[in-house]
Amino acid sequence: MTQADVKELYERIPKHIGVADFIIFTDEGVKIESSFQDEETFKYRKEILQFALTSRAAIQDIDPNNELHYLRVRSDRREYICIPRDKYFIIVITLPDKIQELKKMGVDKKDK
Amino acid sequence: MTQADVKELYERIPKHIGVADFIIFTDEGVKIESSFQDEETFKYRKEILQFALTSRAAIQDIDPNNELHYLRVRSDRREYICIPRDKYFIIVITLPDKIQELKKMGVDKKDK
């Protein structure tokens, strides 16, 4: 992924309905972009990036020919989607209930 | 979840199309049911159950009012779905490409 790819991603992600926040890290935990303040970003690095890296390693241990495509963690109000891309990890936090509501109203893109 | 619930689950899960294997653990790692041989079951316990527990803790750390509903890990050929239920963890391994193929043929349940 080039710098331009990261920039394009940074502009495209928020246009999807129901996206509350997102972070782009290198897989060494360096923050590239984040919609959060630093304190929250570093909490996500400690929690979500950590187990995203663990899950990537677990997949490789179970089947070395298998690669992690993505990881989705659904909780009551949010869904955390972690997508590895080259040496980056993209973490997107969505609001599933809001997405459903908007889809019922026939809305599929944020108008911005 | 009662013993009867676990039994009912054990019979229902394999009827879904594209389910390759599944395991039911207690969240302390005791095997309740598994479609694998023990060696494979314990590999999953070490790998998948471990990060399912980690993800449940991460969700609670980020937002104590939030509970893990499920965790989906998609790799090239498989998807690992981990669902916490009371003191149990249900791990289902599916074959997404097979599911898509069967759905195109209008098949939505295994005829067993």
Side-chain angles (χ1 to χ4, degrees):
Chain A
M1 236 173 38
T2 64
Q3 291 290 356
D5 294 334
V6 172
K7 191 166 181 302
E8 192 260 330
L9 208 56
Y10 180 64
E11 283 156 5
R12 186 157 45 90
I13 291 175
K15 289 184 182 143
H16 288 269
I17 57 166
V19 169
D21 283 289
F22 69 97
I23 309 171
I24 302 174
F25 285 117
T26 69
D27 52 17
E28 281 156 8
V30 175
K31 179 196 94 175
I32 302 298
E33 298 285 354
S34 176
S35 59
F36 286 115
Q37 302 293 325
D38 275 353
E39 195 193 336
E40 197 73 7
T41 298
F42 299 136
K43 191 158 85 168
Y44 274 81
R45 177 172 63 188
K46 181 174 160 271
E47 302 292 351
I48 303 280
L49 180 61
Q50 211 40 53
F51 81 68
L53 293 166
T54 312
S55 74
R56 184 166 68 175
I59 297 288
Q60 292 266 294
D61 282 353
I62 286 179
D63 175 356
N65 305 320
N66 231 336
E67 291 246 336
L68 176 68
H69 279 215
Y70 61 74
L71 168 68
R72 303 178 73 140
V73 185
R74 174 72 150 93
S75 66
D76 303 332
R77 289 189 298 273
R78 293 190 190 89
E79 184 162 42
Y80 307 84
I81 304 168
C82 310
I83 307 151
R85 275 290 172 289
D86 306 336
K87 63 180 175 87
Y88 298 95
F89 250 101
I90 302 140
I91 298 174
V92 182
I93 298 105
T94 69
L95 304 170
D97 295 344
K98 190 165 177 198
I99 292 172
Q100 234 174 2
E101 217 181 285
L102 289 168
K103 280 191 172 166
K104 272 186 205 150
M105 293 157 50
V107 176
D108 63 1
K109 275 239 172 187
K110 274 188 194 169
D111 40 331
K112 225 195 324 189
Chain B
M1 230 167 52
T2 64
Q3 289 293 355
D5 294 332
V6 172
K7 193 168 181 301
E8 193 261 331
L9 208 56
Y10 182 61
E11 284 155 3
R12 184 156 49 87
I13 291 176
K15 288 183 182 145
H16 289 269
I17 57 164
V19 170
D21 282 287
F22 70 95
I23 310 172
I24 301 174
F25 286 117
T26 69
D27 52 17
E28 281 155 8
V30 175
K31 178 194 95 173
I32 302 296
E33 299 285 355
S34 176
S35 59
F36 286 115
Q37 301 295 322
D38 275 353
E39 195 193 337
E40 198 72 6
T41 298
F42 299 138
K43 194 159 86 169
Y44 274 80
R45 176 172 65 188
K46 179 175 162 274
E47 301 293 350
I48 303 282
L49 179 61
Q50 210 39 55
F51 79 69
L53 292 165
T54 312
S55 73
R56 183 164 70 175
I59 297 287
Q60 292 265 296
D61 283 352
I62 286 180
D63 175 357
N65 304 319
N66 231 335
E67 292 246 331
L68 176 69
H69 279 213
Y70 60 75
L71 170 67
R72 301 179 75 142
V73 185
R74 174 71 152 90
S75 67
D76 303 331
R77 291 191 295 274
R78 292 189 191 88
E79 184 162 41
Y80 305 85
I81 303 168
C82 311
I83 308 151
R85 273 291 173 289
D86 304 337
K87 62 182 176 87
Y88 298 94
F89 252 100
I90 302 140
I91 297 174
V92 182
I93 299 103
T94 69
L95 304 171
D97 296 343
K98 190 164 179 200
I99 292 172
Q100 233 174 6
E101 219 180 282
L102 290 168
K103 279 190 174 170
K104 272 186 204 152
M105 292 155 51
V107 175
D108 62 1
K109 275 241 172 187
K110 274 187 193 168
D111 41 2
K112 228 197 315 183

